[in-house]
């Protein structure tokens, strides 16, 4: 996931100035590799017909089905050949400016640790399964690869413009929790969905969440929750179109324009929304502890 809380001010001991560390691949235990394999098998079993074709293609192109936690060096060679991206290890969340600088240079930062066996379904901090299985396959897609690089530069700019909140929402509702329409059907591509056993079904099948066609300004105004399944998913028409809308638009006037408009509460639907599913929000109501 994207960093928004600065866990540390300076790189921890042993980390380089750009916060990278060695993945230390040789140090993973047999149990850790086996945990990856379990997560990998469980997720890939339910992704055909659910995950975007681009995501599934990425899994193949990057040889991610090879058993064990991927070696970032080897993974980066495949990724480099596809779109010029690399994967580098970091100890955990990094400051925003560091994160953006890596993206702008086509380096994806990934945690090198793996969750514990009792965290199969839920972790607070992104681990190597979320970061690599969830994020890296999409980086093999040329349009998405361009989008992510431009996002890094856009992040540096948003920091200067005081508009990080807006750009973070775009990341959240695309990179982390995005849906795409392919051949008339909805598919998942957001890393937070594709790496989650429960949400990869919930996001497509459950009547609870709203599914709304993507609109840049709308998304930039919309709050999000980080503690449970999303109450809203935004659907892009294609990665080519996502690239076009974001890379080819100057966001500075859009940020300024949005300053005059209120934020949109998580589950609200606006008259102008192009709604695909009007969610019941039953799941969220149940979880938040009050009755419908
Ligand atoms: N076009 C954006 C800007 O002017 C940068 C950006 C590109 C942001 C792609 C996100 C994704 O700031
Ligand atoms: Fe993530």
């Amino acid at each position: 996931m994207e960093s928004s809380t600065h866990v540390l001010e300076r790189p921890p001991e042993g980390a380089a100035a750009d916060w990278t560390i060695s993945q230390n691949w040789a140090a993973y235990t047999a149990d850790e590799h086996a945990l990856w394999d379990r997560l990998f098998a469980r997720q890939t079993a339910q992704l055909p017909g659910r995950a975007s074709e681009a995501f599934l293609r990425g899994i193949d192109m990057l040889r991610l089905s090879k058993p064990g936690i991927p070696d970032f060096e080897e993974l980066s060679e495949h990724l480099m050949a596809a779109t010029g991206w690399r994967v580098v290890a970091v100890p955990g969340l990094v400051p925003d400016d560091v994160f953006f600088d890596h993206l702008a240079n086509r380096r994806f930062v990934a945690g090198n640790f793996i969750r514990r066996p009792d965290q199969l379904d839920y972790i607070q901090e992104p681990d190597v399964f979320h970061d690599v299985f969830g994020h890296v396959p999409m980086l093999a897609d040329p349009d998405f690869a361009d989008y992510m690089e431009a996002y890094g530069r856009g992040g540096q700019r948003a920091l200067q413009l005081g508009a990080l909140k807006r750009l973070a929402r775009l990341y959240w509702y695309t990179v982390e929790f995005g849906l795409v329409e392919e051949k008339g059907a909805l598919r998942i591509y957001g890393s937070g969905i594709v790496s989650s056993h429960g949400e990869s079904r919930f996001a497509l099948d459950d009547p609870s969440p709203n599914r709304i066609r993507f609109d840049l300004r709308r998304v930039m105004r919309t709050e999000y929750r980080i503690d449970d399944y999303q109450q809203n998913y935004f659907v892009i028409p294609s990665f080519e179109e996502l690239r076009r809308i974001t890379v080819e638009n100057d966001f500075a006037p859009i940020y300024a324009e949005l300053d005059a408009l209120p934020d949109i509460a998580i589950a609200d639907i606006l008259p102008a929304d192009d709604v695909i599913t009007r969610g019941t929000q039953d799941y969220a109501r149940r979880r938040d502890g009050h009755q419908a």
Side-chain angles (χ1 to χ4, degrees):
M1 311 228 173
E2 187 187 358
S3 63
S4 36
T5 37
H6 295 208
V7 179
L8 298 164
E9 290 297 320
R10 284 174 296 116
E13 230 187 283
D18 68 357
W19 288 69
T20 58
I21 55 173
S22 161
Q23 183 192 8
N24 205 3
W25 188 83
Y28 292 122
T29 65
D31 282 349
E32 288 176 323
H33 285 302
L35 183 59
W36 169 281
D37 291 342
R38 227 172 115 194
L39 287 162
F40 184 88
R42 196 171 75 144
Q43 271 324 86
T44 46
Q46 63 179 11
L47 291 186
R50 296 180 171 279
S52 152
E53 290 300 331
F55 180 88
L56 297 171
R57 233 183 354 257
I59 296 263
D60 280 349
M61 286 171 67
L62 303 175
R63 313 279 189 273
L64 281 169
S65 58
K66 183 176 170 182
I69 298 171
D71 179 336
F72 292 179
E73 290 292 324
E74 206 178 304
L75 181 60
S76 294
E77 274 172 37
H78 295 306
L79 192 54
M80 184 63 88
T83 53
W85 276 75
R86 277 186 297 141
V87 179
V88 294
V90 287
L93 295 176
V94 302
D96 294 320
D97 60 323
V98 175
F99 178 71
F100 295 140
D101 184 66
H102 281 296
L103 292 185
N105 290 287
R106 295 203 172 220
R107 290 186 301 265
F108 191 76
V109 295
N112 67 342
F113 64 94
I114 190 155
R115 67 194 70 188
R116 297 189 313 262
D118 60 302
Q119 297 171 311
L120 219 55
D121 292 311
Y122 182 81
I123 41 154
Q124 202 117 35
E125 255 210 283
D127 72 339
V128 66
F129 187 74
H130 169 82
D131 281 341
V132 172
F133 183 86
H135 283 279
V136 175
M138 285 307 303
L139 292 172
D141 178 84
D143 288 313
F144 200 83
D146 286 353
Y147 169 62
M148 288 291 274
E149 180 197 328
Y151 186 94
R153 280 194 309 275
Q156 293 166 334
R157 199 167 170 230
L159 272 174
Q160 286 166 0
L161 295 169
L164 200 53
K165 185 178 77 172
R166 307 252 174 244
L167 201 67
R169 288 170 176 169
L170 173 65
Y171 192 92
W172 189 262
Y173 283 119
T174 58
V175 180
E176 294 288 346
F177 291 98
L179 302 185
V180 59
E181 196 163 1
E182 283 179 0
K183 301 191 186 99
L186 300 190
R187 297 280 189 112
I188 57 181
Y189 72 89
S191 59
I193 312 178
V194 293
S195 66
S196 160
H197 190 60
E199 196 155 3
S200 51
R201 277 169 288 134
F202 178 87
L204 292 181
D205 301 344
D206 203 279
S208 194
N210 301 323
R211 299 179 185 88
I212 302 171
R213 288 208 167 77
F214 180 90
D215 175 88
L216 182 64
R217 289 168 179 77
R218 203 294 186 194
V219 166
M220 285 185 169
R221 291 174 59 200
T222 309
E223 293 169 345
Y224 58 84
R225 68 185 299 165
I226 61 169
D227 61 330
D228 208 325
Y229 296 160
Q230 298 304 299
Q231 290 177 249
N232 259 331
Y233 297 98
F234 290 97
V235 182
I236 58 167
S238 67
F239 299 108
E240 207 273 313
E241 186 61 12
L242 176 66
R243 193 196 64 76
R244 207 186 54 73
I245 296 167
T246 54
V247 177
E248 295 176 13
N249 257 314
D250 181 357
F251 284 8
I254 300 178
Y255 296 146
E257 172 194 330
L258 295 184
D259 278 343
L261 297 171
D263 281 348
I264 302 169
I266 292 177
D268 280 4
I269 292 185
L270 304 188
D273 286 339
D274 190 347
V275 179
I276 299 171
T277 315
R278 187 171 289 269
T280 62
Q281 300 300 339
D282 282 348
Y283 173 85
R285 251 194 308 273
R286 250 184 348 261
R287 296 284 288 207
D288 291 341
H290 24 92
Q291 278 308 303

